Amino acid sequence: MLTHHHRRPVVVLALGLASVLALSACSSGQETTGGSTDVGKVDGKLSLTYLQKQGDQEYFIGEAAGAQAKAAQLGIDLKIVNLGNDANKTVSEAQAAISQKSNGLIVVVPDPAVGPQVVQLAKDAKVALLTSDDQICSTGPDPSACGADALVPRIGFSGQQMGGEVGKRAAEEFKKSGWNPAETRTISAWKQDVTVCTDRVNASKKAFTEGAGAPVQNIDVPTDNSPTGAQDKIAATITANPSVKNWVVWGCNDENVQGGVTALENAGFKADNVIGVGLGAYLACKNWSSGKPSGMKAALFINGKDVGALAVQTMYHKLKDGKEFPKEAFAPTRMVDASNWKEAGVTCG
């Protein structure tokens, strides 16, 4: 498994008109095979299509809501399409959007392997293409093996920053626990062909190792990034390691960590023997709303609404003002736990 991919110049942004203007100003403006530099300005009302994987997941529901609110503010016709986990539907829905005269496509792909096909469709139709959350490559199925200029511009979060925050908090919780490192294991759970997930998990591992103060053996667990998928795989991992008394769990998203915490609870582990640090907070907060002790100790709050709104606004400036997409633009994050999740504005899924 690759632990990194080509790094791109980045711009860290909050929402708002001034932010996107700054984003555009910081963009290199250089043509890339992954971008939409040959797309001209659009006169009249814009029509955009947002193609999302897992559209019934709480994060993506929020992302769609943020995109719709920003589109309404800017006077854009926006269609949201739930792709589920169907990679083939990505291509057919992109074709449908183009035939319906969408000026721009924003895509969260279920599988990055469809990237080259989607890029070619957009290029042939001279339709602007932007990804959110997950990356795609114009020249191959694997973004981690893709040259920087062939990566499609992306709006989302910094995988390294997010994973680092998760690993740092997990290390803090581990040090507070007083656990014997020899009796402890960390679990890294994620869908291993998703580049942004690998970035997050590798950063979590690194930050935990730096902050834990003692070596703890890690177990990589491949999952499908769903709660039930993670629960099943982590349950098997627990069974295969009967001598382990304490577990630390992180992953690509809340689903992986929630699945892990549930598996450990079902295996008889008490909350005091589990440290789960989620990524999203939309599932983690369910553990805290009951008021009962939980192995879910904290989660990094990532607000899908911010990403959806920023993606629509970025597309607007491309098509109305002719401003090139940044290679990447990032929305803000915040660590939350049982004491402050409501104050932070987390919406429980």
Side-chain angles (χ1 to χ4, degrees), residues 18-31:
S19 299
V20 177
L21 289 173
L23 174 154
S24 301
C26 292
S27 174
S28 69
Q30 296 177 339
E31 290 194 11

Side-chain angles (χ1 to χ4, degrees), residues 9-347:
V10 299
V11 184
V12 181
L13 299 175
L15 290 175
L17 179 60
S19 299
V20 177
L21 289 173
L23 174 154
S24 301
C26 292
S27 174
S28 69
Q30 296 177 339
E31 290 194 11
T32 69
T33 56
S36 300
T37 52
D38 58 343
V39 176
K41 293 184 186 180
V42 176
D43 295 326
K45 193 167 190 176
L46 289 180
S47 175
L48 305 179
T49 303
Y50 212 129
L51 306 176
Q52 291 181 308
K53 72 176 183 182
Q54 300 172 334
D56 57 350
Q57 185 192 93
E58 190 65 30
Y59 170 82
F60 291 114
I61 291 171
E63 183 175 77
Q68 288 167 328
K70 181 58 66 175
Q73 178 189 336
L74 296 173
I76 295 170
D77 284 332
L78 176 68
K79 181 180 180 181
I80 306 288
V81 179
N82 178 12
L83 302 173
N85 290 305
D86 189 344
N88 291 328
K89 192 174 180 181
T90 311
V91 176
S92 62
E93 290 292 349
Q95 291 171 326
I98 289 169
S99 69
Q100 293 161 12
K101 307 301 182 185
S102 260
N103 304 118
L105 303 178
I106 305 169
V107 185
V108 192
V109 293
D111 185 340
V114 301
Q117 193 171 353
V118 173
V119 171
Q120 193 62 48
L121 284 170
K123 183 178 179 181
D124 290 346
K126 290 185 168 48
V127 168
L129 177 64
L130 185 65
T131 65
S132 70
D133 304 290
D134 300 340
Q135 286 181 310
I136 61 174
C137 177
S138 65
T139 57
D142 182 4
S144 69
C146 187
D149 285 349
L151 289 168
V152 175
R154 181 179 78 93
I155 305 298
F157 296 98
S158 164
Q160 290 184 318
Q161 181 269 328
M162 289 193 299
E165 290 297 318
V166 167
K168 179 182 176 183
R169 179 60 178 261
E172 291 171 358
E173 296 289 340
F174 171 72
K175 290 175 77 173
K176 285 193 300 183
S177 72
W179 294 346
N180 181 348
E183 298 174 339
T184 304
R185 296 292 183 272
T186 64
I187 286 178
S188 302
W190 81 105
K191 192 172 188 295
Q192 296 183 354
D193 61 351
V194 178
T195 308
V196 292
C197 287
T198 302
D199 283 351
R200 297 172 191 180
V201 167
N202 286 337
S204 294
K205 292 179 186 178
K206 183 174 185 291
F208 182 85
T209 299
E210 291 173 350
V216 178
Q217 183 178 331
N218 176 74
I219 302 173
D220 287 343
V221 179
T223 75
D224 62 0
N225 278 353
S226 74
T228 53
Q231 182 178 334
D232 291 345
K233 292 296 183 71
I234 292 173
T237 301
I238 297 165
T239 300
N241 292 272
S243 64
V244 177
K245 297 181 179 179
N246 310 295
W247 293 91
V248 183
V249 185
W250 58 68
C252 177
N253 54 18
D254 254 23
E255 283 78 2
N256 281 289
V257 184
Q258 183 61 61
V261 169
T262 301
L264 287 160
E265 289 175 353
N266 292 345
F269 284 85
K270 295 181 180 179
D272 287 346
N273 299 103
V274 179
I275 294 170
V277 181
L279 205 163
Y282 46 84
L283 294 183
C285 58
K286 289 182 176 181
N287 300 272
W288 307 323
S289 60
S290 69
K292 298 177 182 178
S294 171
M296 187 73 80
K297 297 300 191 291
L300 190 67
F301 178 32
I302 58 174
N303 194 341
K305 290 181 179 179
D306 291 348
V307 172
L310 185 54
V312 168
Q313 193 165 42
T314 302
M315 184 68 81
Y316 177 88
H317 281 286
K318 166 67 176 174
L319 294 175
K320 282 296 185 182
D321 303 328
K323 300 194 176 191
E324 292 304 325
F325 291 141
K327 294 293 185 70
E328 287 188 316
F330 299 144
T333 62
R334 176 182 177 182
M335 187 64 70
V336 296
D337 55 31
S339 70
N340 64 1
W341 67 272
K342 290 182 180 178
E343 166 205 329
V346 177
T347 300

